[in-house]
Amino acid sequence: MMESGPITGPVVTDATAGETALRSPDLSGVPAKPNPAADEVGGTFWRRFAFRRPLAALILQRLGLSVGLLFAVSLMIFGGIEALPGDFATTYLGQSATPQAVENIRKDLGLDRPWSERYLSWLGGAVQGDFGTSWASRNSVSEQIGNRLGNSLFLAFFAALISVPLAVGLGMLAVQFRNRLPDKIINVISLAAISLPEFFIGYLLIMFFAVKWGVATFPATVYDSMGFTERLSAIALPVATLVLVVLAHMMRMTRAAILNVMSSAYVETAELKGLGTFRIIARHAAPNAVAPVINVIALNLAYLVVGVVVVEVVFVYPGMGQYMVDAVTVRDMPVVQACGLIFAAFYIFLNMAADILAILANPRLRHPR
């Protein structure tokens, strides 16, 4: 309770001293000391770092999530392959093999050890770039993957080099002529390309360009002594197949992202100023629609590396996909595990790169609520 004196005014009693002290500001000009308890609860090192360096905190967070996800995927790959029925020793020796011979092969390959011990040994070697020895060929898996991975990246690079600029350009063209004939033609072709599976597109290209017209090379065989021009000629059909597969998705997402920005107030202001449609799209709408476009491009780039398995098999291309299929056929588990882990790493870290680029392109993402 507060009692009023005749001259001094309100007097704070002992019962309300603590409450008044909490509510009254410090009028001495000296800032109050921070509360240790509050600092312990809400002022941790990570929160202070995220507040002062939001961009670096988001990048570190994405990196940590990617590494953790890759670890989980490695466990799933190893556990899934371990759970498959059958046995490599029996497949390798044949059904007529004696139990002693099968047991010797299993002991030689280390299959008699517990799966957890084999997983930790495999993961430790994979972190150092050593994926073990192929069961079928007795060669180093890392060396074989080095040659095959270079071929797959060569194929994916030229497919991305053609498809990404073409998709962005066609998306901007569709926005410029939206609801008119060019836009309708682009939409119909893109829907047709999305509806057809990649192996069917590949067979159509082989039938027309290689068999009937004879203007393309099949099969798409490459080797170390080939010249650059010969390599480009050999990969023409696989690259065309990949471009047709990923082009439609990227183009439609680019069109949708730019159309979403075109309804903004600043775009209407630019139109009222008399700017041309293409200039508005290129200089005002497209730069502000770059974040979703980056995400869809990164997803399709990941597909160009991960999803080349079918295309490489169709065109008999000596890449990672063909190598993995051959290993599955003979149950060469170290090769299958290595290829699966590398594909997962590309997919995860390309998505991480897309998230980081989207954050850099859109400053609002650096301060999530």
Side-chain angles (χ1 to χ4, degrees):
M1 297 291 298
M2 298 179 65
E3 301 175 356
S4 300
I7 300 176
T8 59
V11 177
V12 181
T13 63
D14 294 339
T16 59
E19 180 182 357
T20 307
L22 288 174
R23 291 184 302 176
S24 61
D26 188 0
L27 303 179
S28 63
V30 180
K33 295 182 180 181
N35 189 353
D39 184 71
E40 182 180 356
V41 174
T44 61
F45 171 77
W46 176 253
R47 291 185 180 182
R48 291 197 300 269
F49 179 77
F51 179 77
R52 296 173 182 174
R53 299 287 188 272
L55 181 59
L58 286 173
I59 292 175
L60 290 176
Q61 186 180 23
R62 295 296 192 278
L63 183 60
L65 289 174
S66 299
V67 173
L69 181 59
L70 185 60
F71 172 76
V73 169
S74 70
L75 186 60
M76 292 177 60
I77 290 173
F78 193 90
I81 293 177
E82 188 72 18
L84 289 176
D87 184 62
F88 171 79
T90 305
T91 304
Y92 183 74
L93 296 176
Q95 296 296 330
S96 60
T98 62
Q100 185 61 40
V102 172
E103 185 64 25
N104 291 336
I105 290 291
R106 288 179 55 84
K107 188 174 181 180
D108 183 46
L109 297 176
L111 296 176
D112 56 337
R113 296 184 299 166
W115 74 270
S116 57
E117 182 181 343
R118 288 186 285 114
Y119 169 72
L120 292 176
S121 177
W122 171 72
L123 184 63
V127 170
Q128 302 175 12
D130 182 13
F131 293 100
T133 304
S134 170
W135 291 353
S137 64
R138 299 294 181 173
N139 294 323
S140 173
V141 176
S142 301
E143 294 179 1
Q144 294 178 339
I145 284 180
N147 298 328
R148 300 294 188 114
L149 183 60
N151 292 336
S152 294
L153 293 178
F154 184 77
L155 181 65
F157 171 77
F158 282 97
L161 191 65
I162 297 173
S163 60
V164 172
L166 191 60
V168 174
L170 289 176
M172 295 172 63
L173 185 66
V175 172
Q176 185 178 4
F177 296 99
R178 62 184 180 274
N179 299 327
R180 286 187 279 178
L181 184 61
D183 183 26
K184 294 179 180 179
I185 293 175
I186 292 174
N187 282 328
V188 169
I189 295 176
S190 63
L191 284 174
I194 290 175
S195 303
L196 297 176
E198 56 265 34
F199 67 87
F200 184 73
I201 296 176
Y203 287 138
L204 285 178
L205 294 180
I206 292 171
M207 183 179 68
F208 286 104
F209 289 95
V211 177
K212 287 191 174 182
W213 299 333
V215 295
T217 303
F218 179 80
T221 303
V222 295
Y223 44 88
D224 294 337
S225 60
M226 286 184 70
F228 183 73
T229 306
E230 294 177 334
R231 280 178 175 264
L232 291 181
S233 176
I235 68 172
L237 289 182
V239 165
T241 303
L242 290 174
V243 168
L244 290 175
V245 169
V246 302
L247 177 64
H249 187 214
M250 286 192 293
M251 188 278 300
R252 291 180 65 83
M253 291 300 296
T254 302
R255 178 183 181 275
I258 296 178
L259 282 177
N260 186 37
V261 176
M262 290 292 288
S263 60
S264 302
Y266 67 89
V267 174
E268 296 178 359
T269 303
E271 292 175 348
L272 293 175
K273 289 182 178 181
L275 296 179
T277 305
F278 185 79
R279 186 177 180 184
I280 292 175
I281 295 172
R283 298 191 60 181
H284 299 280
N288 290 283
V290 69
V293 174
I294 287 175
N295 285 325
V296 73
I297 288 176
L299 286 174
N300 283 275
L301 290 179
Y303 171 79
L304 289 177
V305 179
V306 178
V308 296
V309 176
V310 176
V311 175
E312 290 182 358
V313 171
V314 168
F315 291 96
V316 200
Y317 185 76
M320 284 280 292
Q322 182 70 51
Y323 185 43
M324 184 176 181
V325 171
D326 294 340
V328 170
T329 304
V330 297
R331 300 184 62 85
D332 194 351
M333 295 301 104
V335 176
V336 178
Q337 292 168 355
C339 292
L341 186 63
I342 290 174
F343 283 150
F346 269 103
Y347 194 87
I348 290 172
F349 285 105
L350 279 174
N351 279 275
M352 180 194 69
D355 287 343
I356 294 175
L357 289 176
I359 292 171
L360 293 175
N362 190 353
R364 292 177 297 180
L365 299 177
R366 304 177 192 177
H367 303 279
R369 295 182 179 181

